[in-house]
Amino acid sequence: MHRRQFLQHSAAVAALPALAPLAAWTPGAGPLLQSARTPRQVTGDRLNGWLARFDRIGRTAGGINRVAYSEADLAGRAFTLELYTQSGLTARVDAAGNIIARVPGTDPSLPPILMGSHVDSVTDGGNFDGPVGSFAAIEVARTLAEQRRRLAHPLEVVVWQNEEGGTIGSKITVGLLTDADLDKVARSGKTVREGIGLIGGDVARLREARRTRGDIACYFELHIEQGGLLEKANRQIGVVEGIVGLRWFEVTITGFANHAGATPMDQRQDAMLAAAKFTVAVNEAIRGEPGRQVATVGRVNVTPNTTNVIPGQVVLTVDLRDLDQGTIDRFTQRFEQLGREIGAATQTTFRFAQVVNSTPAISDPRLLQAIETSASSLGLTHQRMPSGAGHDAQEVAHIAPMAMIFVPSVGGISHSPKEFSRAADITNGANVLLNAVVTADAALR
């Protein structure tokens, strides 16, 4: 972030109580405070205190609004940079706009272990989706330094930019963002291209932010579950076996706008009728096969959207997800076929455009074992489960082993102002992350 912007948006955090700075520590300055077999513990009160203060940034009557590149997002990033500094981490903003801090390891030949998440939000969202994993990663790095534990691998703490708008920061890092993507408009009204410059990145130097296979030892991400499986099973930790593939379509249905009173029913080309039939057909197709696949028609824009005019055009979105790529491809073809059939029956045309396409990501078995070993050593109940939501870990999986840790969401609620995870669960998740990183450091050497 540019210095002027940082100072401008630091007002949101200036009045907050400052953290005591982390005392400097030099490798080899003293013995480890804990044996390798003793589970390590973060300072849970500190971590949850950060989250409580962060809740003030972007809070509106409708919920948290820290959408990417907005004033609240800039203030949230300023708060996060302050946490890095107070935790003894030297952060930088890379060309993509991601915030990164690196702790050197004892073996300079090894690639880094990454951990992190994001701090931007959806419109009218909650305070836990993203910040839990971002602040826990900062807390883990701080705890390791306080406990005088230096890993063999370098350790990097990353806060990805604009996760909610399509995992933009991590896509740039792995080389999956196109020039066309840069001109897409975020919920703040700014294009991705504009936003990158606003948060301190540089579109002209995006290649400098690229990582390739072999550059990263592994990636861990702690996150709230965004579902109710853990709560229902009364488990404390979710061990994410994979992240579903995500494919978003924008479907444009074109009919003919005409007078609602003067046009006979059998002479209409009603785009809204076609959209309604298609919505039902998508639901029935998904439910007609066994499996965990899901699809949602989530946004509908009608033109001219007038009481006494037959809709001439409808633009709707379809969100399709599954852990199996073949299932996603098959349902993509099925939806397009349904569009052709419904279009012929209603005298309308369907045009499909893919706007987001993320492939499923399967977690690395060694990292899953590290998470399970850590949870067990802490006496925490756990279970394996898929992630039905997309995450930055899904993009990192293109170039490096990854795994995710889930903590329960009360009521299974997320992307809502009612989103909430208990402080004890957040602390548990951070403790699992801490010990999993230490375990993976040894296992991957």
Side-chain angles (χ1 to χ4, degrees):
M1 184 179 295
H2 296 306
R3 177 174 176 81
R4 179 179 297 176
Q5 292 166 332
F6 178 84
L7 293 173
Q8 179 181 358
H9 297 283
S10 292
V13 299
L16 302 179
L19 295 169
L22 181 62
W25 172 70
T26 303
L32 300 184
L33 300 185
Q34 295 169 292
S35 71
R37 295 184 179 181
T38 302
R40 298 174 182 276
Q41 304 275 345
V42 302
T43 304
D45 288 346
R46 180 168 61 201
L47 169 59
N48 284 288
W50 294 345
L51 287 165
R53 295 203 302 279
F54 197 56
D55 185 80
R56 307 175 195 174
I57 300 176
R59 170 67 66 182
T60 68
I64 295 293
N65 282 278
R66 289 191 297 264
V67 297
Y69 319 133
S70 65
E71 293 294 312
D73 183 35
L74 290 169
R77 289 169 59 89
F79 180 97
T80 303
L81 282 164
E82 179 66 14
L83 293 188
Y84 274 94
T85 300
Q86 295 294 340
S87 298
L89 299 168
T90 301
R92 65 182 178 88
V93 178
D94 71 6
N98 302 313
I99 303 172
I100 303 172
R102 184 182 180 101
V103 179
T106 61
D107 186 344
S109 69
L110 294 175
I113 294 175
L114 267 64
M115 56 179 178
S117 192
H118 64 98
V119 295
D120 64 300
S121 78
V122 297
T123 302
D124 294 337
N127 190 50
F128 297 89
D129 176 353
V132 165
S134 296
F135 294 174
I138 295 172
E139 172 62 28
V140 165
R142 179 167 183 161
T143 297
L144 287 172
E146 289 174 339
Q147 295 179 0
R148 301 189 177 188
R149 177 65 161 94
R150 180 60 56 85
L151 305 181
H153 291 81
L155 184 64
E156 291 191 6
V157 178
V158 56
V159 174
W160 307 104
Q161 66 105 339
N162 195 1
E163 190 270 353
E164 296 293 2
T167 57
I168 299 300
S170 53
K171 272 194 173 76
I172 294 173
T173 297
V174 303
L176 293 178
L177 201 78
T178 68
D179 286 340
D181 292 329
L182 292 173
D183 293 320
K184 291 180 178 177
V185 179
R187 297 190 188 197
S188 60
K190 300 176 179 65
T191 66
V192 172
R193 187 185 304 274
E194 293 169 336
I196 288 173
L198 186 65
I199 61 178
D202 187 343
V203 172
R205 298 187 298 109
L206 288 183
R207 287 185 176 273
E208 297 177 14
R210 287 279 304 275
R211 306 276 186 106
T212 59
R213 189 170 295 278
D215 290 344
I216 299 171
C218 67
Y219 174 68
F220 285 101
E221 184 168 349
L222 172 65
H223 209 277
I224 63 171
E225 182 194 349
Q226 297 181 279
L229 296 180
L230 288 175
E231 187 176 62
K232 183 177 180 180
N234 196 28
R235 295 288 190 274
Q236 294 165 299
I237 296 293
V239 184
V240 180
E241 58 192 353
I243 305 170
V244 297
L246 169 65
R247 188 169 289 175
W248 287 355
F249 306 93
E250 189 171 77
V251 184
T252 301
I253 306 169
T254 304
F256 188 80
N258 212 341
H259 197 289
T263 308
M265 297 300 290
D266 61 353
Q267 296 179 23
R268 298 181 177 213
Q269 295 172 260
D270 189 338
M272 188 65 206
L273 176 63
K277 289 179 178 290
F278 179 73
T279 301
V280 173
V282 165
N283 182 70
E284 291 178 343
I286 287 291
R287 294 169 65 94
E289 289 190 20
R292 290 173 168 168
Q293 67 274 358
V294 295
T296 305
V297 175
R299 173 170 58 82
V300 179
N301 291 327
V302 183
T303 304
N305 201 26
T306 301
T307 302
N308 60 348
V309 180
I310 298 165
Q313 185 181 79
V314 172
V315 179
L316 58 81
T317 59
V318 179
D319 176 317
L320 172 63
R321 307 183 189 215
D322 195 70
L323 199 55
D324 176 67
Q325 185 62 44
T327 300
I328 293 173
D329 292 338
R330 187 174 70 256
F331 275 106
T332 295
Q333 296 173 4
R334 177 61 178 145
F335 294 165
E336 291 173 348
Q337 177 62 31
L338 288 170
R340 288 191 292 270
E341 294 172 356
I342 294 169
T346 59
Q347 301 182 72
T348 60
T349 60
F350 280 67
R351 180 170 58 83
F352 287 76
Q354 288 187 25
V355 293
V356 173
N357 186 24
S358 297
T359 58
I362 306 303
S363 300
D364 184 86
R366 297 165 298 175
L367 305 185
L368 291 178
Q369 184 61 50
I371 293 170
E372 290 175 329
T373 298
S374 300
S376 295
S377 71
L378 291 158
L380 301 174
T381 56
H382 54 87
Q383 69 177 51
R384 291 198 178 190
M385 59 192 302
S387 171
H391 302 280
D392 291 301
Q394 191 166 359
E395 310 303 344
V396 180
H398 286 92
I399 63 169
M402 71 83 192
M404 293 190 69
I405 302 161
F406 277 173
V407 294
S409 297
V410 174
I413 298 171
S414 70
H415 283 192
S416 163
K418 295 182 179 179
E419 171 185 289
F420 182 71
S421 288
R422 296 183 178 91
D425 289 325
I426 293 169
T427 301
N428 287 340
N431 284 331
V432 172
L433 175 63
L434 168 61
N435 288 278
V437 164
V438 173
T439 300
D441 177 55
L444 297 177
R445 258 179 266 178

